[in-house]
Amino acid sequence: MKPADAFLHQARRIALTGCAVSLLAAAAGCTTTTRQVSETRPVMRNSAPSAMSELRIADTALDSGNVELATTLYEKSVQADPKSVPGLTGLGNTLYAVGDFTRAGVYYQKASAIEPNATAPLIGIARVAIHQRRFDDAIATYRRVLALTPNDPLASAGLGAALDLKGDHAGAQAALRQALKTNPGDPLLCVNLGLSLILGGNPREGANVLLDVTRFPAAPPQARQNLALAYGLLGNTEAAAEILARDLPKASVKDNLRYYEIQRARLAQPGAGDVAMVPAPARAAAPAVKAAAVPGAQVQAVSLR
C-alpha cells in the first residue's frame, strides 16, 4: 500500500471511530433523558377544596363577620351531605348571627338528632334557649354538654350566663370559678364572673376581676363595658364614661351613665341587693355566651351578644 493510500485509510478509520463515539454518546444522552422523563411524575393541577377545608373557610368567614360567604359554603356542604353535622350547625350559627333564633334552633336540632353527643349543636340549642328566655332549658343543655366535656370553657360560660339571667348569681359564680380552675385566665369565663359579681351586688369585686381582663390590648369590648358598669355602680362616673367612650358614641355613653345612676339609686334603697335586670337604653353589660362576636348585635343590660 502506498504511503498516501495508507494515510487515507487511517484517516477514514479515525473518522468512523469518531462517528461511532459520537453516536454512542448521543445514544447515551437520549437514554438518560428518556429515563428521567419516565421517572418524573406528572404535575397535577390543584384539586378543588375538600369538604373539610370548605367548612374551615366557612367557620373563618363567620368569625370575621362574612355571614353571606359562610352561609353559601355551609349550604354547599349540606347539599353535598344532608346529614353533615358541621354544615347544619354552621347554618344554625349564621342564622343565630343575624338574630333569626327560631330558624337557627331548627338547624341545631337537626344536627343534634343526627349526632346526639356532638357538643357544637347542643351549645347552639342552649344559646337559642337563652335568647328565648327559656333559662331552665338552657341550663339543662349546658350541663349536658359539660357532662360530655367537663369544664369546657364555652359551655361553662354559657351556664354561668343562664344561671345569672335566671337570678341564681351564687350558682353562676360557683360554676364559673370551678371552670376557671381548669381554664385559668380564660377571658370569656372572667368576663361572665365579673358581671355575675356585679349583678349579685358586689361591683367592687367584679371590677377587680374585669380589670385583669381589660388590661390586655386585645380585651373584648364586652369586658370594658362591664367594667364601666361596675365603676358606674360604685359612683365613679368619670372612669365609667372614659371606658365607654372607647366603644360607644357620646349619646350612648350618656344613656349608659343615666342607667348607672338609676341603678345606684335603686341599690341605695333598703332591701335592694342585686342589680335590677331591666333593659339598658344602649349597649352595656351582657353575659358572654359564645366565642365569636355577632356583627352588629345590640345588647342590653343583661341580654346576650
Side-chain angles (χ1 to χ4, degrees):
M1 183 179 294
K2 295 179 181 180
D5 293 339
F7 175 79
L8 291 172
H9 179 72
Q10 184 68 18
R12 282 196 295 270
R13 287 180 60 190
I14 293 171
L16 288 171
T17 303
C19 288
V21 172
S22 298
L23 288 171
L24 285 171
C30 290
T31 302
T32 303
T33 304
T34 302
R35 183 165 59 251
Q36 288 174 343
V37 171
S38 65
E39 290 177 356
T40 302
R41 295 181 180 179
V43 178
M44 302 296 292
R45 293 182 178 180
N46 292 332
S47 58
S50 66
M52 289 305 297
S53 65
E54 286 192 340
L55 285 169
R56 284 194 292 268
I57 294 170
D59 292 341
T60 302
L62 182 59
D63 288 342
S64 62
N66 193 339
V67 179
E68 184 176 354
L69 174 60
T71 301
T72 299
L73 293 174
Y74 289 132
E75 285 178 342
K76 182 178 178 182
S77 174
V78 173
Q79 287 172 359
D81 178 11
K83 292 186 177 181
S84 170
V85 172
L88 291 167
T89 304
L91 285 175
N93 290 338
T94 60
L95 290 165
Y96 180 93
V98 298
D100 192 345
F101 305 122
T102 300
R103 289 179 62 208
V106 171
Y107 281 102
Y108 292 141
Q109 292 287 356
K110 285 182 179 180
S112 190
I114 295 168
E115 194 173 335
N117 289 336
T119 58
L122 287 173
I123 288 176
I125 290 170
R127 284 172 18 215
V128 168
I130 287 181
H131 274 285
Q132 295 175 342
R133 305 192 69 78
R134 294 183 290 107
F135 301 133
D136 287 336
D137 290 343
I139 291 166
T141 304
Y142 278 126
R143 283 181 171 153
R144 180 180 170 189
V145 173
L146 290 169
L148 295 169
T149 55
N151 296 311
D152 176 82
L154 187 58
S156 297
L159 176 60
L163 289 167
D164 266 323
L165 290 166
K166 188 181 177 182
D168 183 3
H169 305 308
Q173 291 160 32
L176 294 166
R177 291 187 192 278
Q178 176 62 37
L180 280 167
K181 290 180 180 178
T182 52
N183 302 278
D186 183 275
L188 201 63
L189 294 170
C190 290
V191 168
N192 278 11
L193 176 59
L195 179 59
S196 182
L197 290 164
I198 296 168
L199 295 176
N202 194 346
R204 191 171 301 279
E205 187 178 353
N208 290 333
V209 171
L210 293 166
L211 279 169
D212 287 338
V213 182
T214 56
R215 64 190 176 91
F216 295 106
Q222 197 168 44
R224 293 191 292 272
Q225 292 155 16
N226 291 349
L227 179 59
L229 172 63
Y231 282 144
L233 295 178
L234 290 169
N236 191 344
T237 55
E238 290 185 5
E242 183 179 351
I243 294 169
L244 290 171
R246 294 183 57 181
D247 303 300
L248 300 176
K250 289 183 178 180
S252 295
V253 171
K254 290 180 179 179
D255 287 341
N256 276 271
L257 293 176
R258 193 176 302 116
Y259 171 77
Y260 302 158
E261 184 180 357
I262 294 170
Q263 290 299 309
R264 285 199 307 273
R266 177 188 170 278
L267 291 172
Q269 297 174 0
D274 298 348
V275 176
M277 291 191 176
V278 296
R283 184 183 296 185
V289 293
K290 62 175 297 188
V294 177
Q298 293 293 324
V299 298
Q300 296 174 334
V302 288
S303 183
L304 302 170
R305 285 200 282 180

